[in-house]
Amino acid sequence: MSSIAIITARGGSKRIPRKNIKPFLGKPIMVYSIEAALASGLFDTVMVSTDDEEIAQIAKEHGAQVPFYRSEQTSNDYATTVDVISEVLEEYAKCGIYYETACVIYPTAPFLTADALKEAMGILLERDADSVMPVVKFSFPPQRSVLIKDGALIASNPESMMMRSQDLEPHYHDCGQFYCIRVASFLKQHTVIMAHTVPYLQEELTVQDIDTEEDWRIAEMKYRLMQELRNA
């Protein structure tokens, strides 16, 4: 079954300049995604979708392909992940190259491992799913969240405020690391969260949004801790 890893690494980044190639504990953060994809041995192609020459050069130096650059439409602030996937698949199709499955990997996912990719892609096939999305449980029940209105706190779900946490149904959120998809399903549904999307559960230690400099420092601390625990 032919498969492609698409690492989405646009050059522009407003909150953290040059975010996708900023050094994370000694090497460009994007390299962690490339190395995990290559080490998994799952993919016929590991490519980086970018509009940036420096990113392209670093990608090639670490074993990824950059067969073409992004178009202007997929390089702006309003382009979505779906837009990028569609463009990549279309460009390969122009060359007569088609894939049955794909894994879309974000370039700021240093916690990603080859084993995680193997497990998630295995779930995609075993469950006959359209897509697999890594998720992590909210550490605090969102049913007990509060809103601020006119300077006062208002319960968003008053009926849940006095319930015990263990009595509330667990809620999960996207890890923001990768998506495994069946290409045929994607081309029909044009989304990564499809009619039959199944979860790949992650632990809190392996998940961290990286949108600010503070997030970055927290991610580095969590990564060090994760490595220490694995080597213990």
Side-chain angles (χ1 to χ4, degrees), residues 36 40 113-120 200:
S40 73
T113 65
D115 286 341
L117 291 174
K118 290 177 183 177
E119 291 171 7
Y200 173 61

Side-chain angles (χ1 to χ4, degrees), residues 13 20 31 49 54 72-73 84 92 105 113 115 118 141 143 151 165 173 226:
S13 178
N20 291 331
V31 172
S49 170
E54 185 180 10
E72 183 177 342
Q73 290 73 24
V84 174
Y92 277 104
I105 303 173
T113 65
D115 286 341
K118 290 177 183 177
Q143 301 97 317
S165 297
H173 64 87
M226 185 180 71

Side-chain angles (χ1 to χ4, degrees), residues 122-224:
I123 291 170
L124 181 73
L125 301 179
E126 292 164 12
R127 299 280 300 276
D128 195 24
D130 291 327
S131 64
V132 173
M133 184 172 76
V135 296
V136 63
K137 186 169 71 172
F138 279 99
S139 58
F140 184 86
Q143 301 97 317
R144 290 171 58 184
S145 64
V146 294
L147 307 173
I148 299 177
K149 291 187 177 181
D150 300 322
L153 292 178
I154 305 294
S156 59
N157 295 282
E159 67 280 5
S160 301
M161 293 304 290
M162 301 309 295
M163 294 179 64
R164 300 184 307 167
S165 297
Q166 58 265 42
D167 294 332
L168 295 169
E169 183 177 3
H171 281 50
Y172 301 83
H173 64 87
D174 184 356
C175 292
Q177 294 181 349
F178 66 93
Y179 304 99
C180 301
I181 63 173
R182 287 187 185 270
V183 170
S185 298
F186 172 81
L187 294 176
K188 290 178 181 178
Q189 301 182 48
H190 301 288
T191 180
V192 293
I193 304 176
M194 302 190 221
H196 186 204
T197 296
V198 299
Y200 173 61
L201 300 181
Q202 295 275 61
E203 297 294 331
E204 180 66 31
L205 185 58
T206 66
V207 177
Q208 176 64 43
D209 282 337
I210 306 179
D211 293 321
T212 66
E213 293 290 350
E214 182 180 31
D215 291 340
W216 194 282
R217 293 193 292 272
I218 292 171
E220 288 185 325
M221 289 188 290
K222 289 178 72 172
Y223 187 91
R224 290 192 187 99

Side-chain angles (χ1 to χ4, degrees), residues 5-10 19-20 47 49-50 68 70-71 73-90 102-108 131-134 174-181 186-187 189-194:
I6 304 170
I7 299 168
T8 60
R10 189 168 67 95
K19 173 182 177 180
N20 291 331
M47 67 88 66
S49 170
T50 188
F68 48 83
R70 287 194 191 186
S71 65
Q73 290 73 24
T74 56
S75 300
N76 61 50
D77 292 338
Y78 302 100
T80 66
T81 298
V82 170
D83 295 331
V84 174
I85 301 169
S86 298
E87 181 177 71
V88 168
L89 296 175
E90 287 171 7
C103 186
V104 184
I105 303 173
Y106 290 133
T108 52
S131 64
V132 173
M133 184 172 76
D174 184 356
C175 292
Q177 294 181 349
F178 66 93
Y179 304 99
C180 301
I181 63 173
F186 172 81
L187 294 176
Q189 301 182 48
H190 301 288
T191 180
V192 293
I193 304 176
M194 302 190 221

